Amino acid sequence: MTDTARSSLDHQTHAVLADALGRTGGQDAAHVVREKARARALERAREAAETAARKAAEPVVPAEHAARAVLLAQRQMARAELLGPWAEHDCAARQDRAELDRTPGWRRGRCAGLRETIARHQAGFNECFSDLARLNGEIATLTGQVEADARRREDDDRRRALQEARRPRTDREAGYLAPAKSEQ
């Protein structure tokens, strides 16, 4: 072989080897990138499964149950707000009655004013009392419903836990055996 032919052959060999190395390096890089992407996807899937498991473990409160609990809290707050004015009317009426009892009968103007004030406090007391009675009835009903809702959810949770405990974890526990492979 001549030197030019040998040089041309060396050049072609180098070109083929460089091309092969370039492809192999590219394939290696592609494998590395693919492995990293697969690892990230597995990590995301694991995180999603953990999140789903946490959410599944949290008690699920139906909207109807939550609405009743909110309504109960609102009624209890309204009752607490009414207790103050109710007690104030009651206290003021008692004080005015005591003063009326101490006031001499010849002070007709003062007695009339006290009777009017007592009547006003008694009307406020009666209004608060009727609202309190209505709220107490609603609170009693809602409390029973909320407690029944909570018992129902607890029963459902227990039932679910029992079913989960009874569920087979492996194919063998489920009574499933893979068909035997025939050797030929």
Side-chain angles (χ1 to χ4, degrees):
M1 260 202 215
T2 64
D3 283 337
T4 47
R6 184 169 266 260
S7 170
S8 175
L9 187 60
D10 286 342
H11 182 4
Q12 288 176 350
T13 305
H14 283 291
V16 168
L17 283 174
D19 185 45
L21 285 174
R23 287 186 187 169
T24 303
Q27 288 175 348
D28 288 346
H31 287 294
V32 169
V33 169
R34 186 182 65 191
E35 272 305 306
K36 285 181 181 178
R38 189 180 74 73
R40 279 193 306 267
L42 287 173
E43 180 64 20
R44 284 190 204 121
R46 186 188 58 76
E47 289 172 357
E50 287 175 358
T51 301
R54 274 193 306 273
K55 284 185 179 182
E58 292 174 0
V60 177
V61 178
E64 178 181 312
H65 296 187
R68 268 195 285 268
V70 167
L71 188 59
L72 174 61
Q74 289 172 345
R75 295 301 189 261
Q76 289 170 332
M77 285 176 38
R79 181 181 183 278
E81 289 172 3
L82 270 178
L83 285 175
W86 177 74
E88 289 171 9
H89 285 301
D90 185 42
C91 182
R94 287 175 195 256
Q95 288 174 351
D96 288 345
R97 276 192 204 101
E99 187 178 341
L100 180 62
D101 290 342
R102 288 189 310 269
T103 303
W106 55 268
R107 294 192 63 199
R108 293 176 201 251
R110 178 69 181 143
C111 288
L114 285 171
R115 283 189 196 98
E116 185 180 310
T117 304
I118 291 169
R120 204 171 342 107
H121 285 301
Q122 191 62 44
F125 175 86
N126 290 339
E127 183 180 326
C128 288
F129 185 78
S130 64
D131 288 344
L132 281 172
R134 177 186 53 80
L135 284 171
N136 283 337
E138 289 179 21
I139 288 170
T141 301
L142 287 168
T143 299
Q145 291 173 345
V146 167
E147 288 172 354
D149 292 342
R151 280 191 305 273
R152 202 171 303 124
R153 283 194 312 273
E154 287 172 2
D155 291 344
D156 290 346
D157 290 345
R158 266 190 236 108
R159 199 173 305 113
R160 242 183 263 115
L162 280 173
Q163 287 174 348
E164 185 64 29
R166 291 179 185 157
R167 183 176 298 150
R169 305 268 187 253
T170 64
D171 288 341
R172 176 162 284 201
E173 289 176 6
Y176 172 77
L177 295 177
K181 292 183 182 178
S182 62
E183 295 182 26
Q184 293 177 353

